[in-house]
Amino acid sequence: MEKQENILVSDLRTRIQQSIKEVYETPESWAVTHRLLEFLAGETVLPHHYIAWDKIREEQLKNILERLQGGEPLQYITEEAPFFGHIYKVSPDVLIPRQETEELVQWVLDELPETGKLLDVGTGSGCIAISIALNQPETDVLAMDVSEAALSIGQYNAAALNAGVQFICQNALDETAWPAPLTALVSNPPYVPAIEKESLAARVRDYEPGLALFVPDNDPLLFYRVIATRGLSVLPPGGRLFFEIHESLGQEVVSLLENLGYENVELKQDLNGKDRMVRGLRKA
């Protein structure tokens, strides 16, 4: 029978933080360490808790630490990521859900009417669409992505969380018709200029899908322009359009929407004080 012992969580925490200090800066290393400890324990843990430990768990931790030291994101190693109160399956085929996107979801929920139809463009893991569907069950939620691999992850998450979301495989840049009419459009589209690729953290640059990250250097507003233009034909007067944006493009996205005729355009910062979200209403 395999020998088992109990190890104090605080001791494991120190070991993990020492192992990843060259890869993650504080306080991000704390968050990664906490998520890893809860993954290993299979439950919420506190520093004074103990985790049952054996050879299998020790080998598992060593393997994960080696992969973290090589720059691989923890979420891809564990194949899961938290978002808006739920755990989502993730893979290198989808972006890792982030806290600032939770803020976008909350803004959408604060402004959506109780019923209607919403389309999430570039859904990836489905975290935006699924969160809206779970919290606004009377809304008909659709989710579009060009990647079949990403859609399979989104569909898995919707089924696992019992969320009523319809998934569509379609390139947002194609001329193919979109569902209409809609009450709202939401998108966290590719927005990182290709020239910034080398400045990104290696775990983003080397592991997250470039298809969901990068836009041409000469046209950083490509997806915003295409989606907002489509919005003029699929949204009714007063219909809402929500974007997550590159922090350096706030005023440009605002100007784009205003020039297209959207009204009540608002630029909103995230909790870190960075320009992160824009909302506009189709003119009545």
Side-chain angles (χ1 to χ4, degrees), residues 44-280:
T44 300
V45 294
L46 296 172
H48 63 276
H49 288 171
Y50 285 86
I51 295 180
W53 207 252
D54 56 23
K55 185 177 180 180
I56 294 175
R57 274 230 168 103
E58 177 62 25
E59 290 302 314
Q60 182 184 28
L61 176 59
K62 285 182 178 179
N63 175 263
I64 292 174
L65 290 177
E66 287 178 5
R67 293 170 71 177
L68 287 174
Q69 289 163 353
E72 190 173 354
L74 177 63
Q75 295 90 336
Y76 290 156
I77 297 172
T78 62
E79 298 185 349
E80 62 180 38
F83 187 84
F84 219 77
H86 295 282
I87 298 296
Y88 285 77
K89 178 180 179 179
V90 295
S91 80
D93 293 309
V94 300
L95 292 179
I96 295 168
R98 288 173 167 80
Q99 181 181 11
E100 51 265 35
T101 307
E102 292 181 319
E103 297 177 52
L104 174 66
V105 167
Q106 188 59 61
W107 197 10
V108 175
L109 290 172
D110 289 343
E111 295 207 356
L112 273 186
E114 291 186 4
T115 59
K117 181 183 287 188
L118 173 142
L119 174 64
D120 173 25
V121 183
T123 193
S125 67
C127 63
I128 293 176
I130 292 169
S131 297
I132 293 169
L134 290 175
N135 287 275
Q136 197 93 306
E138 298 303 313
T139 296
D140 186 8
V141 179
L142 303 93
M144 177 192 296
D145 206 289
V146 66
S147 166
E148 291 185 4
L151 284 173
S152 70
I153 297 291
Q155 289 167 330
Y156 175 92
N157 286 323
L161 295 171
N162 196 28
V165 177
Q166 178 185 340
F167 291 87
I168 304 166
C169 188
Q170 185 172 323
N171 187 338
L173 301 181
D174 287 348
E175 294 298 319
T176 310
W178 287 12
L182 299 169
T183 307
L185 275 169
V186 60
S187 183
N188 177 17
Y191 57 61
V192 180
I195 197 172
E196 293 185 11
K197 182 174 182 178
E198 293 307 314
S199 67
L200 294 176
R203 58 183 171 275
V204 176
R205 180 186 66 237
D206 298 340
Y207 290 94
E208 298 204 50
L211 183 67
L213 285 171
F214 300 110
V215 288
D217 293 329
N218 64 349
D219 195 5
L221 299 182
L222 172 63
F223 283 90
Y224 300 115
R225 185 178 63 255
V226 169
I227 294 169
T229 300
R230 281 295 188 95
L232 296 175
S233 61
V234 299
L235 291 171
R240 284 167 163 75
L241 170 63
F242 297 86
F243 282 133
E244 182 170 323
I245 63 167
H246 190 292
E247 62 187 88
S248 69
L249 296 176
Q251 292 303 326
E252 292 175 68
V253 175
V254 167
S255 296
L256 171 70
L257 295 189
E258 290 177 339
N259 290 337
L260 284 171
Y262 285 86
E263 58 186 7
N264 296 334
V265 178
E266 182 179 347
L267 172 63
K268 199 169 188 179
Q269 296 182 325
D270 61 22
L271 291 176
N272 296 313
K274 295 180 179 180
D275 289 347
R276 185 62 62 190
M277 298 158 275
V278 172
R279 183 266 285 127

